[in-house]
């Protein structure tokens, strides 16, 4: 896609979370450095037009420091359509989750274990050591620096999170940690989705139609190669998944230091593995993480481009709950998206 002045897309703008109680959710996300920004609402008719949900909607946009992506939109539906994904496995089609950089994974684990002891509904993993870059590099323990991440999964009824802490390296534009936040965390750095598509045809939509930059492709993780991947995604012996990542076009395929957060991770399981489909539990109207948005410049041109693509259920361009021009559609892989005019 040619990138003209008329059209532009950046990293994932918002993770939208259906919630029953905004006070509890705001208190929770404040610990991660988020704060209340805009508040808006839509009538049931207007919500049905944009999101396909016949319910009055009140939304609260949460900001994080001064960043322009990885924000949160809390969506309070008068009549939610379902309870969402809850604590179900990450290994289902339709799954959505959001990842955050932290300076202190052990402190988050402390809170998680306290919550479990208090009887909260919660599912989690301990922070696994994982080497992400230069996997072939042979380092000498206690002599060379350990370069990698500790990453952990945290599932709760209305949030599906992965948290990671870096060791031995930094990426200047990939997550801005708020050191004053109780949990010393960044905005969401990347969001994930699960698909099955051995042909990879559905991936073309994100690159060719939305204009995102494909930065990692066909990165394979197996039960045998990754204890973290094994537990996060409930892999059985012999099973694997394949990762493709799409970035803000200003990112880079070759220069690691130019990587930008707001990344979309698409995890493909081979068609031969039987996966449950949970798309209906992770779209607007659902509780929990149920929608991602991109902010675009030239929203009418994006509407035309998506109209001509294999995407389905494209809505008209209307004003969202914050008075911004928006439209929604279902991508070829089955995920519901909303674009917001910048």
């Amino acid at each position: 896609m040619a990138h003209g002045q008329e059209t532009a897309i950046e990293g994932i703008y918002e993770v939208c979370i259906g919630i029953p109680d905004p006070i509890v959710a705001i208190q929770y996300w404040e610990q991660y450095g988020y704060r209340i920004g805009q508040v808006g609402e839509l009538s049931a008719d207007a919500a049905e037009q944009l999101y396909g949900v016949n319910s009055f909607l009140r939304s609260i946009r949460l900001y994080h420091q001064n960043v322009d992506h990885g924000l949160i939109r809390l969506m309070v539906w008068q009549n939610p359509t379902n309870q969402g994904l809850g604590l179900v496995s990450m290994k289902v089609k339709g799954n959505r989750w959001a990842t955050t950089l932290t300076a202190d994974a052990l402190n988050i684990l402390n809170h998680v274990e306290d919550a479990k002891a208090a009887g909260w509904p919660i599912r989690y993993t301990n922070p696994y050591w994982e080497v992400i870059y230069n996997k072939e590099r042979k380092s000498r323990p206690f002599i060379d620096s350990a370069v990698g991440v500790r990453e952990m999964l945290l599932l709760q009824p209305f949030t599906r999170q992965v948290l990671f802490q870096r060791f031995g390296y930094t990426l200047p534009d990939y997550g801005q940690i708020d050191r004053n936040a109780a949990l010393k965390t960044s905005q969401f750095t990347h969001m994930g989705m699960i698909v099955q598509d051995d042909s990879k045809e559905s991936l073309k939509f994100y690159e060719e139609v939305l204009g995102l930059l494909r930065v990692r492709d066909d990165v394979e993780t197996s039960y045998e190669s990754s204890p973290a991947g094994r537990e996060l995604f409930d892999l059985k012996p012999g099973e694997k998944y394949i990762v493709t990542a799409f970035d803000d076009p200003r990112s880079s395929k070759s220069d690691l230091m130019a990587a930008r957060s707001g990344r979309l991770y698409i995890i493909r399981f081979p068609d031969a593995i039987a996966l449950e489909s949970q798309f209906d539990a992770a779209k607007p109207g659902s509780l929990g993480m149920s929608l991602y948005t991109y902010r675009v410049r030239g929203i009418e041109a994006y509407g035309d481009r998506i109209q001509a693509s294999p995407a389905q259920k494209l809505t008209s361009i209307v004003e969202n709950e914050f008075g911004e021009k928006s439209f929604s559609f279902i991508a070829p892989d089955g995920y519901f998206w909303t674009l917001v005019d910048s």
Side-chain angles (χ1 to χ4, degrees):
M1 185 190 89
H3 296 285
Q5 284 301 106
E6 310 79 37
T7 58
I9 193 166
E10 297 172 0
I12 290 181
Y13 182 45
E14 298 162 301
V15 173
C16 302
I17 307 172
I19 50 152
D21 183 342
I23 302 300
V24 171
I26 290 164
Q27 287 176 333
Y28 179 78
W29 291 110
E30 280 177 343
Q31 308 312 302
Y32 293 86
Y34 283 93
R35 68 181 190 278
I36 295 174
Q38 293 157 284
V39 178
E41 53 190 45
L42 283 180
S43 68
D45 286 348
E48 184 158 41
Q49 193 174 1
L50 183 56
Y51 301 117
V53 184
N54 185 17
S55 167
F56 175 77
L57 169 66
R58 182 165 176 262
S59 290
I60 304 152
R61 182 174 279 154
L62 304 184
Y63 291 98
H64 195 283
Q65 301 180 99
N66 60 353
V67 299
D68 60 2
H69 64 281
L71 309 183
I72 291 174
R73 190 191 307 193
L74 299 175
M75 303 180 84
V76 188
W77 299 98
Q78 191 170 54
N79 302 302
T81 50
N82 58 64
Q83 291 296 302
L85 293 166
L87 302 186
V88 305
S89 167
M90 296 278 278
K91 190 184 177 183
V92 297
K93 288 185 285 189
N95 180 25
R96 299 176 185 266
W97 69 97
T99 302
T100 305
L101 174 64
T102 179
D104 194 348
L106 274 180
N107 185 37
I108 293 171
L109 183 62
N110 294 341
H111 285 278
V112 168
E113 292 186 352
D114 281 350
K116 185 183 181 188
W120 287 29
I122 199 163
R123 181 175 170 183
Y124 68 98
T125 67
N126 285 320
Y128 276 98
W129 176 247
E130 188 86 347
V131 176
I132 304 228
Y133 302 106
N134 300 324
K135 285 178 179 282
E136 304 76 26
R137 172 178 173 263
K138 295 285 183 263
S139 63
R140 298 167 297 169
F142 299 105
I143 306 297
D144 299 327
S145 63
V147 180
V149 299
R150 286 272 171 188
E151 61 181 350
M152 63 181 287
L153 175 67
L154 173 56
L155 302 182
Q156 298 180 78
F158 309 120
T159 73
R160 300 172 71 79
Q161 295 168 261
V162 173
L163 299 130
F164 74 105
Q165 182 174 352
R166 290 192 190 117
F167 296 88
Y169 76 105
T170 58
L171 295 178
D173 294 317
Y174 204 99
Q176 307 301 317
I177 289 175
D178 181 353
R179 300 276 170 180
N180 296 316
L183 298 180
K184 293 184 169 47
T185 37
S186 72
Q187 81 275 39
F188 290 137
T189 57
H190 46 280
M191 305 14 132
M193 307 190 312
I194 301 283
V195 304
Q196 283 188 299
D197 179 6
D198 286 351
S199 72
K200 297 171 63 173
E201 278 299 306
S202 63
L203 298 179
K204 291 180 180 176
F205 176 81
Y206 296 97
E207 187 172 28
E208 297 174 3
V209 180
L210 291 187
L212 299 166
L213 182 69
R214 193 184 296 213
V215 290
R216 299 178 76 192
D217 203 9
D218 291 345
V219 180
E220 196 171 288
T221 298
S222 66
Y223 174 94
E224 291 73 19
S225 72
S226 170
R230 182 189 312 168
E231 193 171 358
L232 263 65
F233 293 101
D234 293 330
L235 297 181
K236 295 182 172 64
E239 288 186 344
K240 66 178 182 181
Y241 59 80
I242 300 134
V243 176
T244 301
F246 293 96
D247 272 14
D248 179 323
R250 295 171 296 173
S251 187
S252 172
K253 293 185 182 190
S254 55
D255 179 4
L256 179 62
M257 288 298 115
R260 286 178 176 264
S261 52
R263 178 172 290 178
L264 173 63
Y265 270 101
I266 296 182
I267 290 185
R268 283 184 299 121
F269 277 89
D271 290 342
I273 296 178
L275 287 194
E276 192 182 339
S277 179
Q278 292 273 11
F279 285 106
D280 282 347
K283 65 182 185 181
S286 305
L287 296 180
M289 291 181 170
S290 46
L291 173 66
Y292 303 143
T293 70
Y294 277 112
R295 192 162 59 160
V296 298
R297 197 165 64 242
I299 196 165
E300 289 82 5
Y302 274 94
D304 293 344
R305 190 176 295 131
I306 290 166
Q307 180 79 57
S309 81
Q312 298 183 323
K313 299 195 174 175
L314 178 68
T315 73
S316 302
I317 297 174
V318 295
E319 285 196 355
N320 69 7
E321 54 269 44
F322 304 117
E324 301 156 333
K325 288 200 283 188
S326 300
F327 68 87
S328 301
F329 59 90
I330 295 176
D333 55 20
Y335 283 89
F336 192 109
W337 286 90
T338 299
L339 300 191
V340 179
D341 189 33
S342 63

